[in-house]
Amino acid sequence: MGARRAVGFANTALMQTPMPITKDLVLVGGGHTHALLLRRWGMRPLAGARLTVVNPGPTAPYTGMLPGHIAGHYSEDDLSIDLIKLCRFAGARIISGAVTSLDPQARQLHMPDRPPIAYDIASINVGITSNLPDLPGFQEHGVGAKPLGRFATKWREFLLSDQPREIAVIGGGVGGVELALAMAHACKGSAKVTLIERAALLPGISDAARDTILRKLRDYDVTWEEGKEVAKVTDRAVYLSDGAAIPARFVVGAAGATPHEWLSQIGLAHQAGFLSVDENLRTSDPNIYAAGDCAALPAPRPKAGVFAVREAPILYHNLRVALSDRGQFRPFKPQKRYLKLISLGAKSAVADRRGGGLHGPWVWRWKDWIDRRFMNKLTKLPEMTAVSLPRERTADLAEALGPKPMCGGCGAKVGQDALSASIGGLASGARSDVTHLPGDDAAILTNGGSQIVITTDHLRSVTEDPWLMGKIAANHALGDIWAMGAVPQAALATVILPRLSENLQRRWLDEIMQGAQEVIHAAGAEIVGGHTSQGTEMTIGFSLTGLMDRPAITLAGARPGDCLILTKPIGSGTILAAEMQMKARGNWVLGCLDLMVQPQGEAAKCLAEAHAMTDVTGFGLAGHLMNICEASGVGAELNVGSIPVMEDALELARQGVRSSLFAQNAATRAKMTAVSSAQTDLLFDPQTSGGLLAAMPAEMAADAITTLRKAGYHAALIGQIIQGPAHIIAHAP
């Protein structure tokens, strides 16, 4: 397929009128069907629809490669579908968390620790579990084969332990047998593996394929118990109903498919917990669809990935019909027979179809090619390119536009030089009750005997999740209050929404303000009002006041000998730029966002005796440190190797990833002595909701860092203040 048009980038650049968003489509779960749907949506989105994905984490596993991963043939990355990259490609927002209930009447999804998520149309593709909740002792001493994350982690821990290699697999279907062979192979002949099946081993498999698999089980010395019920699981054994004990230090549940409990509690028709769907993949509620293993088809079929994959184009089409009220629904007609490729531990497999049982390394290579082709569809996505510029344009339009989309957050701000030139001379000194602090982002108002800090800040969206963006913007704006040692008092919100229907305006504002309110109330302040308007994209800001009962901590108090303390890692601008270019892994992005919502109020209390302090935001660590140096008339030394950096931000910097504000921030290099390197370049990386940078008396620094770390901050001693002039010496690691 051809290169995908970067719609958002092109519209912003060419000042086209964006289409209003009128409908919310929410995909619950990142299973195979939804992952393929996201790819299709990215190639052909539906105008007017906002697409949301809710998933417990940033990735979803491709279960076809799970036995190969357990056997050691694939890394976890090989079978992990990066949903954050897929959502960026599809123009969708992603919300990390597990849905615990759904209200069809209110059309809302419920999750722990955040407000409900509204939908117009929802689709559920959450797979199944293998947790055996009714088996005594299993929750404490066993692990389900699904979901993958916990199982893979427990398996790695077991392999690294010195426990006896005694393994029991509860469930003798294809999945259980594949895992038993994979674990036996990974243990290189040192394991005693037992399969336990309440009926007959390998139901639904041809005799030829079954004979091949049984021979391979014998080759690996895997034993099996057929027609046996499990009574309980302990930390040392699996006990059968006849009293027999099977020694086991690692117990895996692979006995059939267990639906997620909440699915049967939401008032929809279901079959033993699996949502009943019609031929169009609709549940008993016409606004809710379901696909994959969590759905029960009209004509029963095994829980196999082949059906989830083939449902994707049907679901994609039918959701578009439901949202647009145009066209005809397409029925899903699953085939009765399908090819089963079954792993045999080593790089060998058996092919079962129409009674055949072909097997050997060549079947593994065939299976491996099919599996990798599936993953390549979801990882090697068409490149995003901007639309061509108009033939008639100003001479420098292309230069101003730049080669890449503009970053969000502080990466979208105006550079320090332009800002200083514009506002540097605005303060007239006409009012004695207003103290302007050059270089600071706030001012001090005097009212009688009281001192009030006033500041404002706003952000271009870094995430399409309004609730999360509200939290990030609130924490970011509070940074100026905390950096001056003030106590937050009141806030006014300024919100620009993209064009939305009236119903969605309410939804977005509710989410934004609930997220912001959590942060601002926790800081001890009140939101007292605000202003809204519509524009091309979501932008959120706050004007804040803070109270002080002691002299403010400003930029101007740093003294030679002070230690420099930083409370958060740097690198958010690089990671966000990489995410926009689909070069960052999902877990890096989520880790970055988690740091953005970490409040700095407690950190400010730990640093209350600092001589000078600032929050590290748009100008980068070097720019904000230079502000301290210039205001205080001092220099600074940085130990670059001691500066905490967000996960893999350094690797991305080595690849040449830079925020769109980087070049302007790098002008600070003229006032520095530094060896050029990717690690040094991160000093100019714009930070969104960054940490506090404090010049602390040397005798207090060690205790301050200890206290900060106990409070959960990634605090570090990164350098010291030296005699002026204003200059930064950055020592290479």
Side-chain angles (χ1 to χ4, degrees), residues 402-548:
K404 298 174 183 176
M406 182 174 65
C407 292
C410 273
K413 291 194 171 183
V414 174
Q416 187 171 15
D417 288 346
L419 184 63
S420 297
S422 176
I423 68 173
L426 291 181
S428 64
R431 295 193 62 101
S432 60
D433 55 354
V434 177
T435 303
H436 176 250
L437 304 170
D440 266 307
D441 295 329
I444 299 174
L445 310 181
T446 303
N447 184 12
S450 300
Q451 285 191 314
I452 301 171
V453 175
I454 184 168
T455 185
T456 188
D457 215 325
H458 72 275
L459 294 174
R460 180 175 183 257
S461 178
V462 300
T463 172
E464 295 304 315
D465 181 354
W467 176 79
L468 182 59
M469 193 59 219
K471 291 171 73 75
I472 291 171
N475 272 303
H476 180 82
L478 282 164
D480 290 329
I481 301 290
W482 286 322
M484 296 185 74
V487 177
Q489 179 193 32
L492 289 166
T494 303
V495 178
I496 301 174
L497 295 176
R499 294 186 66 194
L500 304 167
S501 66
E502 186 176 348
N503 186 38
L504 265 65
Q505 287 177 15
R506 288 194 295 270
R507 286 182 189 174
W508 283 43
L509 278 174
D510 282 349
E511 290 190 48
I512 290 169
M513 298 315 297
Q514 287 181 55
Q517 186 179 47
E518 287 181 27
V519 171
I520 289 175
H521 277 199
E526 294 285 343
I527 298 177
V528 295
H531 184 76
T532 62
S533 63
Q534 293 189 69
T536 57
E537 58 190 351
M538 182 167 64
T539 301
I540 305 172
F542 296 92
S543 297
L544 291 143
T545 59
L547 301 176
M548 291 189 303

Side-chain angles (χ1 to χ4, degrees), residues 618-631:
F619 303 148
L621 177 59
H624 287 283
L625 177 56
M626 182 56 66
N627 286 345
I628 289 179
C629 290
E630 290 177 340

Side-chain angles (χ1 to χ4, degrees), residues 195-202 210 224-228:
L195 273 162
I196 307 167
E197 170 56 45
R198 66 192 304 175
L201 210 66
L202 293 167
R210 189 175 191 274
W224 58 90
E225 299 280 348
E226 292 183 278
K228 299 293 178 70

